[in-house]
Amino acid sequence: MKLSIVIVILLSFKCNGYEFPEDFKFGVATASFQVEGAWNISGKGESIWDYITHNNPNFIHDGSNADVACDTYHKTAGDVQLLKEISVDYYRFSISWSRIFPTGHTYSPNADGIRYYNELIDELLANGITPLVTMFHWDLPQALHELGGWPNPVLAELFVDYADKLFEYFGDKVKNWITFNEPYQICDFSYSDGILAPAYKQKGIGGYLCSYTVLIAHGKTYQLYQKRYKETQNGRIGITIQGPWFEPRTDSAEDKKAAENMLQFMFGIFAHPIYIGDYPKVVREEVNRLSTEENRRRSRLIAFTPQERDLIKDSADFLGVNHYTTFICTPRNAEIQEVLPMNTDGGASCYQDDEWAAAASRWFRLVPWGFRKVLNWVKEEYNNPEVIITENGYSDLTGELRDCDRISYYNSYLTEVLNAIHEDGCNIAGYTAWSFLDNFEWVNGYREKFGLYYVDFEDDDRPRTAKMSAYVYKNIISLTQDKLTLITRPRDSNGAEQLVSFCLY
Ligand code: NOJ
């Protein structure tokens, strides 16, 4: 198989194209709940996802849970060898808060949890792989949920306590931290729309309460690190935001405004306070206006005090961007069937074009040019900050090893990253494929597979098998490392189709 993959790469990436900058880094990602398993082993506490999968299995498409998942908890050495085999520079993984602090409070640490992450980090470093660690990727300790979860501002203090301990335990070895993965999904999807645990539906309220807490927690964590750890540990702290592209349906001013509002309500609401110093103007004005219209005594959006604005401003050394897909937006229109519930305060309705090729996830169609557009939007909006693409990848239902569609996806999306770097001057430092392994895809259980490695979930041992895309990704990384020209197809040629037909040949 390896030989044929080399041919695939050489055919699909043509000469005289762009290469990734010499110091550009490649990685793969996972998240604790999606892969670790060992849900109650050696003192681990329950998380909101343990709770919901056990108590409301209907919430998960296939009724499954992540009690065992990929069992990475028991497979550290073998998995690190797989990472080494595909030559990644770094591995993005998250820490399960309740594995280290079973109740979420830091006064009673669980020694086994600390041991587990120390071993993983040591094994990565021994194999020349840099850890990129997410502190929170959705698996809130259930005990903190019982205090109200993220809508309760007290959670900000508890998160900072937790982060402080992570710096203390692992900061001598971990130099790259992400505080939160996808705050919009943590907040709106979980507390406004109820499509992620804990599945609360307080539309227009829960999400903003949570966003406020998360931003305060992020800012305080950043400041704490600067004050107490930066000098000795010399690490970097960022946050990861999900950045779909929102394309106006037409060139009309109304459609353009609808699309821009979606960007501000989903992305700007988190990035703006960090890079500019407050929520975006349109978010403040619209939510305040609507709240008055609704006869509320106060705005649904929690305003920051000047001190809080200072705390949050300039609190990221890099910006993590997760990107998968694109939506088309127009002013709010009840007839439009939305593929995902979205914040409606921006007055937009968004959908996807049926003509766009579809991945397995119902919100996911392939629009490579949207990737370049969102990278450019970030560049313009925030003065070209350093961006690490912290997730990008493709889902199928089959888990097939000869995963040509996934290869084609990476080919076309990476081409847009190269265009964004070379033609547009976007400051992109790294790219992370989602995901290292097929894993527990939240409410979709094991049905949707994003892995470069296939995992047999029917086998107690959870064996992994490299898909063709794993070898392709390895070759892309190696080309860069060897400083060969990474060869990209011309923007409007049919490179992707060429590759697919080769795959099927
Ligand atoms: C983003 C999330 O961070 C990750 O957990 C999820 O699996 C992927 N999107 C794919 O849906």
Side-chain angles (χ1 to χ4, degrees), residues 34 137-138 181-182 322 324 363 391 434 441-442 450:
Q34 295 180 272
H137 198 129
W138 305 2
N181 177 70
E182 298 191 346
N322 291 353
Y324 291 86
W363 46 266
E391 284 182 31
W434 182 272
E441 176 57 13
W442 308 111
F450 282 82

Side-chain angles (χ1 to χ4, degrees), residues 14-159:
K14 296 203 193 87
C15 271
N16 302 325
Y18 299 122
E19 62 184 84
F20 283 101
E22 216 170 298
D23 52 355
F24 193 88
K25 303 280 185 250
F26 285 97
V28 291
T30 60
S32 49
F33 189 77
Q34 295 180 272
V35 297
E36 279 180 6
W39 81 277
N40 61 354
I41 300 264
S42 301
K44 177 181 167 295
E46 192 181 35
S47 76
I48 54 173
W49 279 93
D50 292 316
Y51 183 89
I52 208 161
T53 52
H54 294 156
N55 293 285
N56 186 6
N58 290 339
F59 188 62
I60 311 299
H61 189 279
D62 56 7
S64 61
N65 59 48
D67 292 2
V68 180
C70 307
D71 205 20
T72 57
Y73 174 85
H74 290 113
K75 293 180 175 299
T76 302
D79 283 342
V80 172
Q81 281 318 301
L82 297 182
L83 293 169
K84 198 173 173 192
E85 199 171 290
I86 52 171
S87 322
V88 290
D89 299 301
Y90 61 90
Y91 177 45
R92 175 180 177 225
F93 64 94
S94 77
I95 290 184
S96 157
W97 189 340
S98 66
R99 191 177 294 290
I100 300 201
F101 300 109
T103 61
H105 297 278
T106 51
Y107 59 81
S108 59
N110 175 29
D112 179 68
I114 301 168
R115 171 207 58 79
Y116 168 66
Y117 291 111
N118 264 321
E119 282 180 15
L120 173 58
I121 293 163
D122 289 344
E123 191 70 16
L124 289 168
L125 292 173
N127 284 278
I129 300 168
T130 303
L132 169 57
V133 179
T134 312
M135 297 173 169
F136 184 77
H137 198 129
W138 305 2
D139 44 355
L140 185 70
Q142 175 67 13
L144 299 188
H145 168 68
E146 287 165 13
L147 295 180
W150 291 111
N152 181 352
V154 164
L155 266 273
E157 300 303 325
L158 298 176
F159 181 84

Side-chain angles (χ1 to χ4, degrees), residues 303-442:
F304 294 120
T305 64
Q307 293 77 3
E308 288 171 340
R309 288 205 294 269
D310 287 349
L311 175 83
I312 298 165
K313 187 161 183 297
D314 299 325
S315 62
D317 300 315
F318 62 90
L319 177 61
V321 175
N322 291 353
H323 177 84
Y324 291 86
T325 198
T326 287
F327 299 91
I328 298 173
C329 302
T330 193
R332 195 121 194 94
N333 174 346
E335 274 164 33
I336 287 180
Q337 274 278 324
E338 295 188 281
V339 277
L340 277 176
M342 292 194 193
N343 190 320
T344 49
D345 290 336
S349 289
C350 303
Y351 61 97
Q352 291 182 309
D353 186 339
D354 292 344
E355 303 275 300
W356 294 340
S361 317
R362 79 187 161 88
W363 46 266
F364 192 173
R365 287 181 184 268
L366 277 62
V367 195
W369 52 261
F371 200 4
R372 181 173 177 185
K373 287 200 177 190
V374 79
L375 292 169
N376 272 277
W377 184 85
V378 166
K379 173 190 161 209
E380 297 304 326
E381 198 71 10
Y382 307 115
N383 195 20
N384 209 6
E386 179 182 325
V387 164
I388 298 178
I389 295 158
T390 39
E391 284 182 31
N392 180 237
Y394 176 85
S395 62
D396 61 30
L397 297 176
T398 59
E400 61 194 316
L401 299 182
R402 208 172 164 76
D403 54 342
C404 293
D405 292 342
R406 179 167 293 103
I407 292 168
S408 175
Y409 180 92
Y410 280 121
N411 182 26
S412 57
Y413 274 65
L414 277 165
T415 299
E416 296 300 339
V417 176
L418 281 170
N419 289 333
I421 294 172
H422 292 282
E423 294 189 13
D424 313 329
C426 295
N427 182 11
I428 306 168
Y431 175 91
T432 322
W434 182 272
S435 176
F436 172 32
L437 304 169
D438 288 344
N439 60 47
F440 182 81
E441 176 57 13
W442 308 111

